[in-house]
Amino acid sequence: MSTAILDPSARPVAAGGLNRTVLGIELSRVLRNRRTMIFTIIFPIVMFLFISAQITGENDRMGPAVANVGAYIMVSMAIYGAIMATTSAGASVSIERACGWSRQLRLTPLKPLPYVMTKVVAALVFGVVATAMTYAAGALTHKAVMSTQGWWQSGLAVVLGSLVFAALGLFMGYLLPSENAMQFLGPILAVLSIFGGIFSAPIDPDSGYGQVAALTPIYGFSQIAHWPLSQTAAGAHDAFQVSWVVNLVVWGLIFVAGAIWRFRRDTARV
Amino acid sequence: MTSTTAPPAIALRAVTKSFGEVHAVRGVDLQVGQGEVVAYLGPNGAGKTTTIDMVLGLSQPSSGSVSVFGMAPREAIDRGLVSAVLQTGGLLPDLTVRETIRYTAALFPAPLAVDEVIERAGIAELADRKVGKCSGGEQQRVRFAMALVSDPELIILDEPTAGMDVAGRRTFWENIRADAGRGRTVVFATHYLDEADAYADRVVLLRKGEIVADGTAAEVRALGTGRTVRATWPGADQSALAGIPHAQSVEVRGEQVLVHTGDSDAVARHLLNHTPARDLEILARGLEDAFVALTGDQAAEPDRVASTPSPTATTASTPGSLR
């Protein structure tokens, strides 16, 4: 019998960290998933074109603001698309758990945290793509009018705010036993989007409905992302409410805490 | 033979594993030397997967110690020394075969070339197909390629040929044998006893969380040898059956009673002299019977037999041979 006399300690230890090949494959997985592409890119663009086509003339003005109603709708739809993108990228861990891929990865040097970071980066890139596509539709059709500042401020707010929902996706992906957590999350996000005011005109914050809506997860995000649109030609804005930031941060912390809690349980060695 | 200075590929010392009241592994001592090809056999629930999980660092023993190449399992994995082919799952259906291997290779410190591994695992023509579109046997070859790509010194295979046809199984084992020839250590769990017989240097038999036999396939076959005494005995009752001396296990099939025993003479004498049993037949047994005899629920608590076969166990294992 031939035997190699092996000095095991001569083998190098893998870094186990973030990895360009893995990130590349994860990104292409996200981008070629047809079902999520429909909800994250095609649906927001179609909705934007459909609604903005019906709002013309005087109806397209938002008081003294530079931005028009078309821009408001475009930002709303971009929020929806970015949320769907980041949530589904995070929630894809549910599929990986169901098919045993995450268990397989535990037989490799890959550490759990870099794996989650890879998911977050993939979610972020997907969120950027979704936002950029909706914004491109708005710009190319000239249906959305905003100041230059408005374009990049609202765009940046959409992308960064949507990261909170990558945490929601991870939380649900590690929590739900189902094979595809998005089947469950999709309708919930749609309802939360209504409360967040992104399928309607701005919600009156003083109404009873507005006071309830202000407590839901998409509300603060939506208010922050739409706020740059209130800029007037003179440079004035509507008042910025700290409560919007509180809403986004508190929900963000809840999602991150939930994701860490479930993630720890999932990767614990028994 | 294995060098005495090289650390064993696997060393389990007094390993136990309990899940609440369930004692899945109850004191296993096992050393697998570098370059050995070991079959790990046992019925469902014997503790095979629980043991494998501990060797792979997926779980920790309740007591005792596990080391792989002289180090903690997790460290061995981080160095790419050990890989595993799991029975089911562990594949992403939306990746192509090549992406799956590239993904895996990228995680290890010193992987082999992806295309070379794809070639060796015989999946070159599948490389651009989605994993979800591959058949069960094809997926098993993908798992094998995933296990190879890290260039491990130890491969653990859990039911590797489940779902493969006969030709696929043969090719698969030819690959494994070729690999072991390069000094790789292979440990596999299987239900196909002929695979253990044909491909393993050593067979370890597990029952209810304990090792009940450990030796070459021939030695293990001999341990279980004894014989089966078959008789026609209508209406045999439990107490009469329990009274049969030297019985390792007793099976009743209609009017037929089958007694597995290490002393067929004593059983035959007892049946003819003290019971209404008639029409006796005495049968020799193969590895499969050894497996059943040593691991079955009714098997007597076996002596922990090491690799010394009993001198009487020399019968050729031709089923149905008559005495």
Side-chain angles (χ1 to χ4, degrees):
Chain A
M1 176 163 82
S2 68
T3 339
I5 295 171
L6 171 76
D7 177 11
S9 54
R11 296 266 296 228
V13 177
L18 279 177
N19 182 303
R20 204 181 298 168
T21 308
V22 169
L23 188 57
I25 294 175
E26 286 288 351
L27 276 175
S28 63
R29 284 185 66 205
V30 162
L31 295 177
R32 70 189 178 205
N33 184 328
R34 283 202 199 94
R35 190 160 53 167
T36 47
M37 284 311 253
I38 289 171
F39 280 105
T40 53
I41 293 174
I42 297 172
F43 176 80
I45 290 176
V46 168
M47 285 293 280
F48 161 68
L49 295 176
F50 178 71
I51 300 170
S52 61
Q54 302 174 40
I55 299 165
T56 50
E58 275 303 299
N59 290 335
D60 199 26
R61 304 279 306 265
M62 291 203 300
V66 175
N68 65 347
V69 173
Y72 188 93
I73 296 163
M74 180 189 73
V75 171
S76 293
M77 288 304 125
I79 291 171
Y80 179 76
I83 285 176
M84 289 301 282
T86 51
T87 309
S88 62
S92 66
V93 296
S94 73
I95 303 168
E96 280 148 42
R97 288 169 65 231
C99 72
W101 181 252
S102 37
R103 183 180 157 91
Q104 180 68 39
L105 288 179
R106 289 167 70 189
L107 303 178
T108 75
L110 180 64
K111 301 276 183 290
L113 199 59
Y115 170 66
V116 168
M117 289 312 295
T118 306
K119 288 277 163 199
V120 171
V121 173
L124 179 64
V125 172
F126 196 19
V128 168
V129 169
T131 307
M133 297 291 267
T134 311
Y135 271 47
L140 294 173
T141 58
H142 303 291
K143 289 288 185 187
V145 177
M146 272 192 278
S147 65
T148 313
Q149 240 181 344
W151 279 99
W152 69 261
Q153 282 180 345
S154 63
L156 194 65
V158 171
V159 168
L160 294 181
S162 69
L163 267 183
V164 163
F165 293 87
L168 171 66
L170 285 165
F171 179 18
M172 291 298 141
Y174 279 115
L175 177 71
L176 299 173
S178 78
E179 193 164 288
N180 190 348
M182 278 312 282
Q183 287 168 352
F184 174 78
L185 275 172
I188 289 183
L189 288 175
V191 171
L192 291 176
S193 296
I194 294 168
F195 281 113
I198 62 177
F199 287 156
S200 62
I203 295 172
D204 175 7
D206 297 324
S207 67
Y209 173 68
Q211 285 177 352
V212 174
L215 300 174
T216 60
I218 295 178
Y219 183 86
F221 175 23
S222 167
Q223 294 299 317
I224 294 168
H226 282 113
W227 177 76
L229 276 62
S230 67
Q231 193 184 28
T232 64
H237 278 100
D238 286 354
F240 188 89
Q241 308 274 331
V242 179
S243 62
W244 301 338
V245 180
V246 172
N247 172 296
L248 186 62
V249 168
V250 167
W251 279 110
L253 287 176
I254 290 172
F255 296 155
V256 169
I260 290 173
W261 166 54
R262 294 309 307 187
F263 167 77
R264 285 220 175 123
R265 175 166 296 197
D266 191 65
T267 55
R269 298 200 307 158
V270 285
Chain B
M1 288 308 289
T2 324
S3 159
T4 48
T5 55
I10 298 175
L12 302 177
R13 286 182 205 90
V15 168
T16 69
K17 179 69 181 176
S18 304
F19 302 96
E21 292 296 298
V22 181
H23 305 296
V25 175
R26 304 187 297 176
V28 163
D29 285 283
L30 179 68
Q31 278 222 359
V32 176
Q34 290 183 25
E36 278 192 283
V37 179
V38 178
Y40 203 46
L41 300 179
N44 291 335
K48 291 190 304 264
T49 302
T50 308
T51 317
I52 287 174
D53 280 357
M54 288 189 281
V55 171
L56 293 173
L58 292 173
S59 66
Q60 289 177 313
S62 304
S63 69
S65 73
V66 178
S67 73
V68 179
F69 294 107
M71 53 184 88
R74 188 64 229 176
E75 192 188 341
I77 284 177
D78 285 347
R79 290 180 193 276
L81 287 165
V82 51
S83 66
V85 177
L86 303 174
Q87 187 182 351
T88 54
L91 292 172
L92 277 178
D94 62 304
L95 288 188
T96 68
V97 168
R98 188 191 308 280
E99 282 172 332
T100 305
I101 311 303
R102 276 182 57 220
Y103 196 130
T104 310
L107 302 174
F108 283 95
L112 300 173
V114 168
D115 286 328
E116 181 199 324
V117 169
I118 285 178
E119 195 65 44
R120 254 165 69 191
I123 48 175
E125 72 282 10
L126 309 174
D128 296 318
R129 191 180 298 176
K130 289 271 169 67
V131 168
K133 298 241 188 299
C134 293
S135 73
E138 288 166 348
Q139 290 188 348
Q140 206 57 11
R141 281 186 277 161
V142 174
R143 290 189 188 94
F144 179 53
M146 288 165 75
L148 274 188
V149 78
S150 57
D151 194 19
E153 295 297 334
L154 165 65
I155 292 193
I156 295 176
L157 310 147
D158 194 0
E159 306 278 347
T161 56
M164 285 191 190
D165 58 21
V166 177
R169 282 171 59 193
R170 193 176 301 131
T171 318
F172 181 85
W173 284 110
E174 276 163 14
N175 289 338
I176 295 276
R177 277 314 274 192
D179 252 56
R182 298 173 204 191
R184 225 191 280 285
T185 312
V186 178
V187 174
F188 65 96
T190 183
H191 275 137
Y192 296 110
L193 293 159
D194 57 318
E195 289 185 344
D197 216 348
Y199 301 107
D201 303 325
R202 179 176 162 197
V203 174
V204 174
L205 214 57
L206 202 66
R207 173 181 171 248
K208 293 184 179 171
E210 288 175 301
I211 293 176
V212 291
D214 182 352
T216 65
E219 286 165 353
V220 170
R221 194 187 299 121
L223 287 176
T225 300
R227 302 200 172 81
T228 300
V229 180
R230 193 202 58 74
T232 305
W233 182 357
D237 65 67
Q238 281 298 323
S239 63
L241 291 172
I244 302 171
H246 303 287
Q248 286 165 351
S249 66
V250 180
E251 259 178 86
V252 180
R253 296 180 193 157
E255 298 196 338
Q256 306 287 309
V257 174
L258 288 97
V259 184
H260 305 297
T261 175
D263 189 346
S264 51
D265 292 345
V267 172
R269 196 168 289 125
H270 173 83
L271 289 177
L272 292 172
N273 290 341
H274 304 287
T275 74
R278 59 189 163 78
D279 191 18
L280 256 65
E281 213 176 7
I282 298 177
L283 310 164
R285 293 154 42 178
L287 185 59
E288 182 144 2
D289 292 303
F291 178 82
V292 171
L294 291 168
T295 63
D297 264 349
Q298 297 151 307
E301 287 303 324
D303 306 327
R304 169 78 193 272
V305 230
S307 33
T308 35
S310 87
T312 53
T314 49
T315 41
S317 56
T318 327
S321 72
L322 207 67
R323 266 187 80 187

Short mmCIF file of all heavy atoms in Angstrom, two decimals, chain A residues 135-183:
data_model
loop_
_atom_site.label_atom_id
_atom_site.label_comp_id
_atom_site.label_asym_id
_atom_site.label_seq_id
_atom_site.Cartn_x
_atom_site.Cartn_y
_atom_site.Cartn_z
N TYR A 135 -34.57 55.05 -12.17
CA TYR A 135 -34.16 56.44 -12.38
C TYR A 135 -33.86 56.70 -13.86
O TYR A 135 -34.18 57.76 -14.40
CB TYR A 135 -32.94 56.77 -11.51
CG TYR A 135 -33.31 57.27 -10.14
CD1 TYR A 135 -34.27 56.61 -9.38
CD2 TYR A 135 -32.72 58.42 -9.60
CE1 TYR A 135 -34.63 57.07 -8.12
CE2 TYR A 135 -33.07 58.89 -8.34
CZ TYR A 135 -34.03 58.21 -7.61
OH TYR A 135 -34.38 58.68 -6.38
N ALA A 136 -33.24 55.70 -14.52
CA ALA A 136 -32.94 55.86 -15.95
C ALA A 136 -34.24 56.00 -16.74
O ALA A 136 -34.34 56.84 -17.64
CB ALA A 136 -32.13 54.66 -16.44
N ALA A 137 -35.25 55.20 -16.37
CA ALA A 137 -36.54 55.30 -17.06
C ALA A 137 -37.13 56.70 -16.86
O ALA A 137 -37.68 57.28 -17.79
CB ALA A 137 -37.49 54.21 -16.53
N GLY A 138 -36.99 57.22 -15.63
CA GLY A 138 -37.52 58.55 -15.34
C GLY A 138 -36.80 59.63 -16.13
O GLY A 138 -37.44 60.55 -16.66
N ALA A 139 -35.49 59.51 -16.24
CA ALA A 139 -34.71 60.53 -16.92
C ALA A 139 -34.91 60.46 -18.43
O ALA A 139 -35.10 61.47 -19.09
CB ALA A 139 -33.23 60.37 -16.57
N LEU A 140 -34.87 59.23 -18.97
CA LEU A 140 -34.94 59.08 -20.42
C LEU A 140 -36.29 59.46 -20.99
O LEU A 140 -36.40 59.92 -22.13
CB LEU A 140 -34.58 57.64 -20.82
CG LEU A 140 -33.12 57.22 -20.53
CD1 LEU A 140 -32.91 55.74 -20.80
CD2 LEU A 140 -32.16 58.06 -21.37
N THR A 141 -37.36 59.27 -20.21
CA THR A 141 -38.70 59.62 -20.71
C THR A 141 -39.05 61.07 -20.39
O THR A 141 -40.12 61.53 -20.79
CB THR A 141 -39.77 58.71 -20.09
OG1 THR A 141 -39.71 58.86 -18.66
CG2 THR A 141 -39.56 57.25 -20.46
N HIS A 142 -38.17 61.75 -19.64
CA HIS A 142 -38.42 63.12 -19.19
C HIS A 142 -39.70 63.23 -18.38
O HIS A 142 -40.29 64.31 -18.29
CB HIS A 142 -38.48 64.09 -20.40
CG HIS A 142 -37.23 64.04 -21.23
ND1 HIS A 142 -36.01 64.51 -20.79
CD2 HIS A 142 -37.01 63.52 -22.47
CE1 HIS A 142 -35.10 64.30 -21.72
NE2 HIS A 142 -35.66 63.70 -22.74
N LYS A 143 -40.16 62.16 -17.83
CA LYS A 143 -41.37 62.20 -17.00
C LYS A 143 -41.05 62.68 -15.59
O LYS A 143 -41.92 63.15 -14.87
CB LYS A 143 -42.00 60.81 -16.93
CG LYS A 143 -42.65 60.36 -18.22
CD LYS A 143 -43.93 61.13 -18.46
CE LYS A 143 -44.65 60.59 -19.70
NZ LYS A 143 -45.80 61.47 -20.03
N ALA A 144 -39.79 62.48 -15.16
CA ALA A 144 -39.39 62.91 -13.83
C ALA A 144 -38.52 64.16 -13.94
O ALA A 144 -37.55 64.18 -14.68
CB ALA A 144 -38.61 61.80 -13.13
N VAL A 145 -38.93 65.19 -13.22
CA VAL A 145 -38.16 66.44 -13.22
C VAL A 145 -37.73 66.74 -11.80
O VAL A 145 -38.53 66.72 -10.87
CB VAL A 145 -39.01 67.61 -13.78
CG1 VAL A 145 -38.23 68.91 -13.70
CG2 VAL A 145 -39.47 67.31 -15.19
N MET A 146 -36.43 66.97 -11.60
CA MET A 146 -35.89 67.28 -10.27
C MET A 146 -34.66 68.14 -10.45
O MET A 146 -34.07 68.18 -11.53
CB MET A 146 -35.44 65.99 -9.56
CG MET A 146 -36.51 65.28 -8.76
SD MET A 146 -35.76 64.00 -7.71
CE MET A 146 -35.58 62.69 -8.87
N SER A 147 -34.24 68.78 -9.37
CA SER A 147 -32.94 69.45 -9.38
C SER A 147 -31.86 68.39 -9.39
O SER A 147 -32.09 67.23 -9.02
CB SER A 147 -32.79 70.33 -8.14
OG SER A 147 -32.75 69.51 -6.98
N THR A 148 -30.67 68.76 -9.83
CA THR A 148 -29.55 67.81 -9.83
C THR A 148 -29.36 67.23 -8.43
O THR A 148 -29.16 66.02 -8.26
CB THR A 148 -28.26 68.52 -10.27
OG1 THR A 148 -28.55 69.28 -11.44
CG2 THR A 148 -27.15 67.53 -10.55
N GLN A 149 -29.41 68.13 -7.44
CA GLN A 149 -29.30 67.70 -6.05
C GLN A 149 -30.35 66.65 -5.70
O GLN A 149 -30.07 65.66 -5.05
CB GLN A 149 -29.52 68.93 -5.17
CG GLN A 149 -28.36 69.26 -4.29
CD GLN A 149 -28.68 70.48 -3.43
OE1 GLN A 149 -29.64 71.23 -3.71
NE2 GLN A 149 -27.88 70.70 -2.41
N GLY A 150 -31.58 66.93 -6.15
CA GLY A 150 -32.68 66.01 -5.87
C GLY A 150 -32.40 64.62 -6.41
O GLY A 150 -32.68 63.62 -5.74
N TRP A 151 -31.85 64.56 -7.63
CA TRP A 151 -31.58 63.25 -8.23
C TRP A 151 -30.65 62.42 -7.37
O TRP A 151 -30.96 61.30 -7.01
CB TRP A 151 -30.96 63.42 -9.62
CG TRP A 151 -31.95 63.71 -10.71
CD1 TRP A 151 -32.24 64.93 -11.23
CD2 TRP A 151 -32.78 62.77 -11.41
NE1 TRP A 151 -33.19 64.83 -12.22
CE2 TRP A 151 -33.54 63.52 -12.34
CE3 TRP A 151 -32.96 61.40 -11.33
CZ2 TRP A 151 -34.48 62.92 -13.21
CZ3 TRP A 151 -33.88 60.79 -12.19
CH2 TRP A 151 -34.63 61.55 -13.11
N TRP A 152 -29.49 63.01 -7.05
CA TRP A 152 -28.52 62.16 -6.36
C TRP A 152 -28.85 61.97 -4.89
O TRP A 152 -28.62 60.90 -4.32
CB TRP A 152 -27.08 62.61 -6.59
CG TRP A 152 -26.63 63.91 -5.97
CD1 TRP A 152 -26.53 65.12 -6.58
CD2 TRP A 152 -26.19 64.10 -4.63
NE1 TRP A 152 -26.08 66.08 -5.71
CE2 TRP A 152 -25.86 65.48 -4.49
CE3 TRP A 152 -26.07 63.28 -3.52
CZ2 TRP A 152 -25.40 66.03 -3.30
CZ3 TRP A 152 -25.61 63.82 -2.32
CH2 TRP A 152 -25.28 65.19 -2.22
N GLN A 153 -29.44 63.01 -4.26
CA GLN A 153 -29.80 62.84 -2.84
C GLN A 153 -30.85 61.75 -2.65
O GLN A 153 -30.72 60.88 -1.80
CB GLN A 153 -30.32 64.15 -2.27
CG GLN A 153 -29.22 65.15 -1.95
CD GLN A 153 -29.75 66.46 -1.39
OE1 GLN A 153 -30.96 66.73 -1.49
NE2 GLN A 153 -28.87 67.26 -0.82
N SER A 154 -31.90 61.82 -3.49
CA SER A 154 -32.96 60.82 -3.33
C SER A 154 -32.44 59.43 -3.72
O SER A 154 -32.73 58.43 -3.05
CB SER A 154 -34.19 61.19 -4.16
OG SER A 154 -33.85 61.18 -5.55
N GLY A 155 -31.62 59.40 -4.78
CA GLY A 155 -31.08 58.10 -5.22
C GLY A 155 -30.23 57.44 -4.14
O GLY A 155 -30.36 56.26 -3.85
N LEU A 156 -29.37 58.28 -3.52
CA LEU A 156 -28.51 57.76 -2.45
C LEU A 156 -29.35 57.28 -1.27
O LEU A 156 -29.10 56.22 -0.68
CB LEU A 156 -27.55 58.87 -2.01
CG LEU A 156 -26.37 58.44 -1.14
CD1 LEU A 156 -25.45 57.53 -1.95
CD2 LEU A 156 -25.60 59.67 -0.65
N ALA A 157 -30.40 58.05 -0.94
CA ALA A 157 -31.27 57.67 0.18
C ALA A 157 -31.96 56.34 -0.10
O ALA A 157 -32.10 55.49 0.78
CB ALA A 157 -32.30 58.77 0.43
N VAL A 158 -32.39 56.15 -1.37
CA VAL A 158 -33.07 54.89 -1.72
C VAL A 158 -32.13 53.70 -1.53
O VAL A 158 -32.47 52.70 -0.91
CB VAL A 158 -33.60 54.94 -3.18
CG1 VAL A 158 -34.10 53.56 -3.61
CG2 VAL A 158 -34.71 55.97 -3.32
N VAL A 159 -30.90 53.86 -2.05
CA VAL A 159 -29.95 52.74 -1.99
C VAL A 159 -29.58 52.42 -0.54
O VAL A 159 -29.62 51.26 -0.12
CB VAL A 159 -28.70 53.08 -2.82
CG1 VAL A 159 -27.59 52.07 -2.54
CG2 VAL A 159 -29.04 53.09 -4.31
N LEU A 160 -29.23 53.44 0.23
CA LEU A 160 -28.78 53.20 1.60
C LEU A 160 -29.93 52.69 2.48
O LEU A 160 -29.76 51.77 3.27
CB LEU A 160 -28.17 54.47 2.20
CG LEU A 160 -26.87 54.93 1.54
CD1 LEU A 160 -26.32 56.18 2.22
CD2 LEU A 160 -25.82 53.81 1.59
N GLY A 161 -31.11 53.32 2.31
CA GLY A 161 -32.25 52.88 3.11
C GLY A 161 -32.63 51.44 2.83
O GLY A 161 -33.04 50.71 3.74
N SER A 162 -32.45 51.02 1.58
CA SER A 162 -32.87 49.66 1.23
C SER A 162 -31.99 48.61 1.90
O SER A 162 -32.38 47.46 2.03
CB SER A 162 -32.86 49.47 -0.29
OG SER A 162 -31.54 49.48 -0.77
N LEU A 163 -30.80 49.01 2.36
CA LEU A 163 -29.92 48.06 3.04
C LEU A 163 -30.58 47.49 4.30
O LEU A 163 -30.35 46.34 4.67
CB LEU A 163 -28.60 48.74 3.43
CG LEU A 163 -27.46 48.61 2.43
CD1 LEU A 163 -26.21 49.27 2.98
CD2 LEU A 163 -27.20 47.16 2.09
N VAL A 164 -31.41 48.32 4.94
CA VAL A 164 -32.14 47.86 6.12
C VAL A 164 -32.97 46.62 5.77
O VAL A 164 -33.11 45.69 6.57
CB VAL A 164 -33.06 49.00 6.64
CG1 VAL A 164 -34.13 48.46 7.58
CG2 VAL A 164 -32.23 50.08 7.30
N PHE A 165 -33.45 46.59 4.51
CA PHE A 165 -34.31 45.47 4.12
C PHE A 165 -33.50 44.24 3.70
O PHE A 165 -34.05 43.15 3.66
CB PHE A 165 -35.31 45.94 3.06
CG PHE A 165 -36.27 46.92 3.65
CD1 PHE A 165 -35.97 48.27 3.69
CD2 PHE A 165 -37.43 46.47 4.25
CE1 PHE A 165 -36.82 49.18 4.31
CE2 PHE A 165 -38.29 47.37 4.87
CZ PHE A 165 -37.98 48.72 4.89
N ALA A 166 -32.21 44.43 3.42
CA ALA A 166 -31.35 43.26 3.28
C ALA A 166 -31.30 42.52 4.61
O ALA A 166 -31.33 41.28 4.66
CB ALA A 166 -29.94 43.68 2.85
N ALA A 167 -31.26 43.29 5.71
CA ALA A 167 -31.28 42.68 7.04
C ALA A 167 -32.61 41.96 7.29
O ALA A 167 -32.64 40.86 7.84
CB ALA A 167 -31.03 43.74 8.11
N LEU A 168 -33.73 42.60 6.84
CA LEU A 168 -35.03 41.94 6.98
C LEU A 168 -35.03 40.62 6.20
O LEU A 168 -35.50 39.59 6.70
CB LEU A 168 -36.15 42.85 6.46
CG LEU A 168 -37.54 42.20 6.36
CD1 LEU A 168 -38.09 41.84 7.73
CD2 LEU A 168 -38.53 43.09 5.61
N GLY A 169 -34.49 40.66 4.98
CA GLY A 169 -34.44 39.44 4.17
C GLY A 169 -33.63 38.35 4.85
O GLY A 169 -34.06 37.19 4.91
N LEU A 170 -32.48 38.71 5.40
CA LEU A 170 -31.65 37.72 6.10
C LEU A 170 -32.37 37.17 7.32
O LEU A 170 -32.36 35.95 7.57
CB LEU A 170 -30.33 38.36 6.53
CG LEU A 170 -29.30 38.59 5.42
CD1 LEU A 170 -28.21 39.55 5.88
CD2 LEU A 170 -28.70 37.27 4.96
N PHE A 171 -33.00 38.07 8.08
CA PHE A 171 -33.75 37.66 9.27
C PHE A 171 -34.81 36.61 8.88
O PHE A 171 -34.86 35.51 9.43
CB PHE A 171 -34.40 38.91 9.88
CG PHE A 171 -35.24 38.67 11.11
CD1 PHE A 171 -35.13 37.51 11.86
CD2 PHE A 171 -36.14 39.64 11.53
CE1 PHE A 171 -35.89 37.31 13.00
CE2 PHE A 171 -36.90 39.45 12.66
CZ PHE A 171 -36.79 38.29 13.39
N MET A 172 -35.63 36.95 7.88
CA MET A 172 -36.70 36.04 7.48
C MET A 172 -36.13 34.77 6.82
O MET A 172 -36.65 33.70 6.99
CB MET A 172 -37.65 36.75 6.51
CG MET A 172 -38.47 37.83 7.18
SD MET A 172 -39.53 37.13 8.49
CE MET A 172 -39.43 38.39 9.73
N GLY A 173 -35.05 34.95 6.08
CA GLY A 173 -34.42 33.80 5.42
C GLY A 173 -33.90 32.78 6.42
O GLY A 173 -33.93 31.58 6.17
N TYR A 174 -33.41 33.27 7.56
CA TYR A 174 -32.93 32.35 8.59
C TYR A 174 -34.05 31.87 9.50
O TYR A 174 -33.91 30.86 10.17
CB TYR A 174 -31.83 33.01 9.43
CG TYR A 174 -30.47 32.98 8.77
CD1 TYR A 174 -29.83 34.14 8.37
CD2 TYR A 174 -29.83 31.76 8.54
CE1 TYR A 174 -28.59 34.10 7.76
CE2 TYR A 174 -28.59 31.72 7.92
CZ TYR A 174 -27.98 32.89 7.53
OH TYR A 174 -26.77 32.82 6.92
N LEU A 175 -35.17 32.64 9.51
CA LEU A 175 -36.26 32.32 10.43
C LEU A 175 -37.24 31.31 9.82
O LEU A 175 -37.64 30.35 10.45
CB LEU A 175 -37.01 33.60 10.81
CG LEU A 175 -38.23 33.44 11.71
CD1 LEU A 175 -37.79 33.06 13.13
CD2 LEU A 175 -39.03 34.75 11.78
N LEU A 176 -37.60 31.55 8.56
CA LEU A 176 -38.69 30.79 7.97
C LEU A 176 -38.20 29.43 7.48
O LEU A 176 -37.14 29.34 6.87
CB LEU A 176 -39.32 31.56 6.81
CG LEU A 176 -39.92 32.91 7.19
CD1 LEU A 176 -40.36 33.66 5.95
CD2 LEU A 176 -41.10 32.71 8.13
N PRO A 177 -38.98 28.40 7.75
CA PRO A 177 -38.57 27.08 7.29
C PRO A 177 -38.85 26.86 5.80
O PRO A 177 -38.38 25.91 5.22
CB PRO A 177 -39.42 26.14 8.16
CG PRO A 177 -40.65 26.94 8.47
CD PRO A 177 -40.23 28.37 8.50
N SER A 178 -39.61 27.76 5.21
CA SER A 178 -40.05 27.53 3.84
C SER A 178 -38.88 27.62 2.87
O SER A 178 -37.85 28.22 3.15
CB SER A 178 -41.10 28.56 3.44
OG SER A 178 -40.46 29.77 3.13
N GLU A 179 -39.06 27.02 1.71
CA GLU A 179 -37.99 26.98 0.74
C GLU A 179 -37.76 28.35 0.12
O GLU A 179 -36.64 28.73 -0.17
CB GLU A 179 -38.31 25.95 -0.34
CG GLU A 179 -37.10 25.64 -1.18
CD GLU A 179 -37.29 24.38 -1.97
OE1 GLU A 179 -37.28 23.29 -1.38
OE2 GLU A 179 -37.48 24.50 -3.18
N ASN A 180 -38.81 29.09 -0.08
CA ASN A 180 -38.62 30.41 -0.64
C ASN A 180 -39.35 31.43 0.22
O ASN A 180 -40.56 31.63 0.12
CB ASN A 180 -39.15 30.47 -2.08
CG ASN A 180 -38.73 31.76 -2.74
OD1 ASN A 180 -38.25 32.69 -2.09
ND2 ASN A 180 -38.93 31.83 -4.04
N ALA A 181 -38.59 32.10 1.07
CA ALA A 181 -39.17 33.04 2.02
C ALA A 181 -39.85 34.20 1.31
O ALA A 181 -40.72 34.85 1.86
CB ALA A 181 -38.08 33.57 2.96
N MET A 182 -39.46 34.46 0.04
CA MET A 182 -40.04 35.60 -0.66
C MET A 182 -41.52 35.41 -0.98
O MET A 182 -42.25 36.39 -1.13
CB MET A 182 -39.27 35.88 -1.95
CG MET A 182 -38.01 36.70 -1.75
SD MET A 182 -38.23 38.16 -0.73
CE MET A 182 -39.01 39.29 -1.89
N GLN A 183 -41.96 34.15 -1.10
CA GLN A 183 -43.39 33.93 -1.34
C GLN A 183 -44.21 34.49 -0.19
O GLN A 183 -45.35 34.89 -0.34
CB GLN A 183 -43.67 32.44 -1.52
CG GLN A 183 -43.16 31.95 -2.86
CD GLN A 183 -43.16 30.45 -2.95
OE1 GLN A 183 -43.40 29.75 -1.97
NE2 GLN A 183 -42.89 29.94 -4.14
#
